[in-house]
Amino acid sequence: MRRTRLVTPVVVAAVAMIAGGGTTATAAQGSTPAEPAVTLLTGDTVTLGGEHGARVRAAKGREHVSFYVRKDENGDTHAVPEDAITLLSQGKLDPDLFNVSLLAEAGFGERLPLIVDYAGPTPRGAAAEVTRELPVMSATAVAAERSGAYWPVARKAEHVWLDEPVRMSLDRSVPQIGAPAAWAAGLTGADAVVAVLDSGIDTTHPDPKVTRSAVPVPRMPR
């Protein structure tokens, strides 16, 4: 996982409040490369850099909206529109939806991957494509346009999470179990018999099942 997410009510500590009508500057010829720019679910475009850490170009019709720019405990820059603050405080919106640093790093395309939870059926429309039903958590995975068209629909949801990429971090756990030494000795785990016993096993049953697995032990990337 890229970072540990804090699931707590969000209190926006504003480093700067920026009016939504600002323009986004581009790098002049021969200067440093242009800073990363991302478009939020609201349709507003945010460019990292500048005096306040980010510059905002509001979507059409949202020029009156103000934005609160802050850095979190990981040093990431957030640009939060004022019409999202209450929903963030209520825990209905994922703070990472406005984490400009994370969005720029992830490099999502024209549609933003979301997991949405509505009190009733998930609304269908051109602004969001349903990619997967998640009945176990009573939610739906959708790919939403960043044009701002889905923003009014998202605001009516019980919860909206950014379906962000998960990256495994094996630098400590793999050495702790001695896997590098096993790999060096030529051991892969192929043809090993694995028994998985959960807390619900009936120890008096005459035929507990043991399945064979030929799944190799994964190697650390070099």
Side-chain angles (χ1 to χ4, degrees):
M1 183 68 74
R2 181 180 184 274
R3 58 170 57 73
T4 301
R5 179 177 298 175
L6 303 177
V7 186
T8 56
V10 176
V11 178
V12 178
V15 174
M17 185 175 72
I18 302 176
T23 58
T24 301
T26 56
Q29 185 175 4
S31 65
T32 57
E35 295 106 337
V38 298
T39 302
L40 302 176
L41 181 62
T42 56
D44 309 303
T45 301
V46 184
T47 303
L48 288 170
E51 179 183 358
H52 302 297
R55 300 188 299 279
V56 180
R57 182 194 293 273
K60 185 177 181 180
R62 291 176 54 83
E63 294 83 359
H64 63 285
V65 176
S66 294
F67 291 78
Y68 297 85
V69 178
R70 68 180 181 90
K71 284 188 178 292
D72 64 18
E73 65 278 2
N74 296 306
D76 286 354
T77 299
H78 295 240
V80 182
E82 60 182 341
D83 55 348
I85 291 176
T86 299
L87 296 174
L88 282 166
S89 299
Q90 293 172 345
K92 293 189 174 184
L93 294 181
D94 185 348
D96 281 345
L97 290 168
F98 307 100
N99 185 333
V100 185
S101 300
L102 184 153
L103 295 172
E105 179 184 324
F108 296 117
E110 294 182 358
R111 290 178 177 253
L112 204 59
L114 307 174
I115 296 176
V116 295
D117 175 17
Y118 288 87
T122 301
R124 261 58 171 176
E129 175 189 356
V130 175
T131 57
R132 187 178 181 184
E133 298 288 349
L134 304 170
V136 173
M137 57 185 301
S138 301
T140 306
V142 302
E145 288 185 2
R146 299 209 213 185
S147 63
Y150 189 68
W151 176 234
V153 181
R155 293 178 63 183
K156 298 177 182 178
E158 293 293 314
H159 298 95
V160 180
W161 297 277
L162 176 65
D163 193 5
E164 64 184 90
V166 175
R167 296 179 176 86
M168 292 185 295
S169 196
L170 304 176
D171 58 320
R172 296 187 181 183
S173 59
V174 171
Q176 284 176 346
I177 64 174
W183 296 331
L187 302 176
T188 66
D191 298 323
V193 176
V194 178
V196 179
L197 308 178
D198 64 23
S199 59
I201 188 172
D202 181 0
T203 58
T204 64
H205 195 282
D207 187 25
K209 299 294 183 181
V210 177
T211 59
R212 286 186 169 272
S213 172
V215 179
V217 177
R219 289 185 177 274
M220 284 282 287
R222 296 185 181 276

